[in-house]
Amino acid sequence: GQLSDSLSEGEQQMLVIGCALMAEPKLLLLDELSLGLMPRMVEECYIALDQLKNDGMTILLVEQNTRQALAVADNVCVLESGIVAWSGTAEQAKQDSGIIEAYIGLSR
């Protein structure tokens, strides 16, 4: 019974994702999935993303939470000022120290 504009930012994010999934899209576009969500909810969202991917849904995810994004990604495209700076598989991204240091920021 709660109005959507009275929800927290994270709750609104979850509501938007739920509404999008109700349309049964073939392609799901997500921008900063983890933004405003509690860590537990971020983990649950990534579990759900992995399940959607395994069910055959195509997902385009723009995310700064690279550790979690790489865990579910098949392919990675790194943009710098709107230009493709690097692209490859998620496994290649994890192994490429130059990409990790320059763009992804994961500690090895």
Side-chain angles (χ1 to χ4, degrees):
Q2 189 174 351
L3 297 175
S4 62
D5 65 350
S6 68
L7 298 173
S8 71
E9 183 178 334
E11 290 169 330
Q12 288 179 3
Q13 177 90 329
M14 297 298 295
L15 177 62
V16 168
I17 292 167
C19 288
L21 290 173
M22 286 175 56
E24 298 180 4
K26 293 181 180 166
L27 170 65
L28 181 63
L29 307 172
L30 296 168
D31 184 16
E32 299 296 341
L33 173 65
S34 63
L35 187 66
L37 296 179
M38 298 180 308
R40 184 179 62 79
M41 291 308 300
V42 171
E43 185 176 325
E44 287 186 32
C45 282
Y46 274 95
I47 290 169
L49 276 188
D50 198 39
Q51 182 62 50
L52 290 169
K53 180 184 86 167
N54 291 335
D55 289 346
M57 182 177 288
T58 301
I59 302 167
L60 176 60
L61 174 65
V62 177
E63 179 65 86
Q64 290 185 27
N65 184 342
T66 53
R67 187 173 308 279
Q68 294 236 241
L70 282 174
V72 298
D74 292 323
N75 297 292
V76 175
C77 182
V78 177
L79 300 177
E80 183 174 11
S81 301
I83 298 170
V84 176
W86 186 90
S87 66
T89 68
E91 283 305 314
Q92 289 171 322
K94 292 175 193 175
Q95 301 302 319
D96 187 325
S97 61
I99 293 300
I100 289 172
E101 292 169 13
Y103 298 105
I104 297 176
L106 298 175
S107 58
R108 294 190 138 237

